[in-house]
Amino acid sequence: MDTVSAAALAAGGSEADGAEDYSFMYSRSFFGLDGHGWQVIWMDPAAAEKGPEAFAASEQETGTPAA
C-alpha cells in the first residue's frame, strides 16, 4: 500500500487520508490526477476468511496479536 500510494503521490496525486492500521488490515487513500479517489487495502487472509470480528476474538483467545 505504501509503495502504490507513494508512486501515486510522486506522479502528482494527493493524499486523501493518512494510513489506517487496524492490525489485521492496512489501507491508504489518495486522489489521482483526474480527481478520482482510490483506496488500496491489505487484509490478513485469515481475517478475510473468518471475518474481522471472529478473527479478533480468536486472536484474543490465543493471546497472539491480531497482526
Side-chain angles (χ1 to χ4, degrees):
M1 280 40 70
D2 292 331
T3 302
V4 171
S5 294
L9 299 176
S14 59
E15 190 164 30
D17 295 317
E20 296 182 45
D21 188 350
Y22 297 101
S23 73
F24 64 89
M25 183 173 71
Y26 181 76
S27 70
R28 298 284 304 264
S29 301
F30 56 88
F31 294 104
L33 296 177
D34 56 5
H36 287 95
W38 292 84
Q39 184 173 34
V40 289
I41 299 172
W42 173 87
M43 185 174 203
D44 185 306
E49 183 177 319
K50 293 180 182 179
E53 294 84 12
F55 178 74
S58 70
E59 294 299 301
Q60 289 176 349
E61 289 171 6
T62 62
T64 57

